[in-house]
Amino acid sequence: MKQEERRQQTTRQLLEATKALIGEKGCHVITMKDIMERSELSKGAIFHYVKSKYELFAWVLEESLTATNERFEKQVERHPGDFEQPMEMLAKQFAELEDAGSPTNKVLMYLLGKEDDPAVAGVLRQFYERPVLFSRRWIETGQRHGVIPASVDAARTAELFVILSLGLRARTSIPGAGMAFTAGHFAAFVSGSLRGGSEG
């Protein structure tokens, strides 16, 4: 097996083991020993890639962002100049924002309680900045294709969407919180905003 293939396989094993443990135990009680046992990887193999569970949690967050961005870019390639197909793909992804069992949401809520740790602060900053960057890029792509008006402020709108998405994620950890504004409403709001109007 080539080195790159081995790295990808190890990364996948670690990610899958970590996400499974998050679903079963939650983030607080997972140990590196748990991850070693679940992934069936040696301590040396794991620590060759990461030094702590925080780094693995960062991988969980990164995987979610990267996967959404890749799906969006594929939709744009398949349907250049079309607003509906990429937007429909994003709307499907928004359902995760209100899923209390989502590994991404569990990790985010856990890390927000540890923001004083410099390593965690870096992970949280990246989790905020990357979707803002991706969202801005998506809006600018739509503007280049003429499906989003040039009057839409890409930077401000991208950040607004990320702030709202974080609010939906945070709500999953509040017992009994109301659900008057859902992921569906968020999708309608995003679509309306990008068309230059407002919906929802």
Side-chain angles (χ1 to χ4, degrees):
M1 183 183 292
K2 294 180 181 177
Q3 186 173 354
E4 178 59 20
E5 290 175 349
R6 187 178 299 112
R7 184 193 70 77
Q8 290 179 0
Q9 181 180 336
T10 301
T11 299
R12 176 54 44 199
Q13 282 178 257
L14 285 170
L15 265 171
E16 293 307 318
T18 302
K19 289 192 293 186
L21 287 165
I22 289 169
E24 293 169 18
K25 296 185 168 190
C27 297
H28 292 80
V29 298
I30 296 172
T31 65
M32 291 302 284
K33 184 180 180 207
D34 292 330
I35 293 165
M36 183 175 69
E37 290 173 355
R38 177 58 63 92
S39 67
E40 298 182 344
L41 293 166
S42 69
K43 184 177 180 181
I46 293 174
F47 280 92
H48 178 73
Y49 293 98
V50 295
K51 302 301 178 212
S52 71
K53 71 178 184 178
Y54 295 148
E55 289 183 50
L56 283 170
F57 289 167
W59 284 12
V60 171
L61 297 179
E62 177 65 23
E63 179 191 41
S64 173
L65 294 175
T66 301
T68 299
N69 187 55
E70 287 174 355
R71 288 187 194 105
F72 176 83
E73 290 181 349
K74 283 179 183 173
Q75 286 295 328
V76 171
E77 284 175 19
R78 287 184 195 138
H79 309 279
D82 179 29
F83 180 86
E84 299 303 331
Q85 296 294 330
M87 187 61 229
E88 186 178 316
M89 184 284 301
L90 288 176
K92 288 178 182 174
Q93 302 304 305
F94 293 161
E96 186 207 18
L97 298 174
E98 54 189 6
D99 177 5
S102 158
T104 301
N105 293 343
K106 286 179 176 288
V107 166
L108 179 61
M109 292 304 102
Y110 172 74
L111 293 180
L112 282 172
K114 299 187 174 298
E115 75 282 2
D116 292 337
D117 183 315
V120 172
V123 170
L124 289 170
R125 186 167 52 253
Q126 184 174 7
F127 187 70
Y128 182 78
E129 291 174 351
R130 289 209 10 119
V132 170
L133 175 66
F134 287 153
S135 296
R136 181 174 181 170
R137 190 183 301 159
W138 299 340
I139 293 167
E140 290 170 346
T141 297
Q143 289 173 324
R144 279 195 305 276
H145 285 289
V147 296
I148 295 175
S151 59
V152 172
D153 185 316
R156 189 180 306 151
T157 304
E159 189 162 10
L160 173 62
F161 292 164
V162 172
I163 289 168
L164 288 172
S165 71
L166 288 172
L168 288 170
R169 289 188 186 281
R171 187 178 64 187
T172 65
S173 66
I174 302 172
M179 294 281 284
F181 185 82
T182 66
H185 294 115
F186 179 52
F189 175 76
V190 169
S191 179
S193 299
L194 295 181
R195 290 176 185 277
S198 60
E199 294 182 22

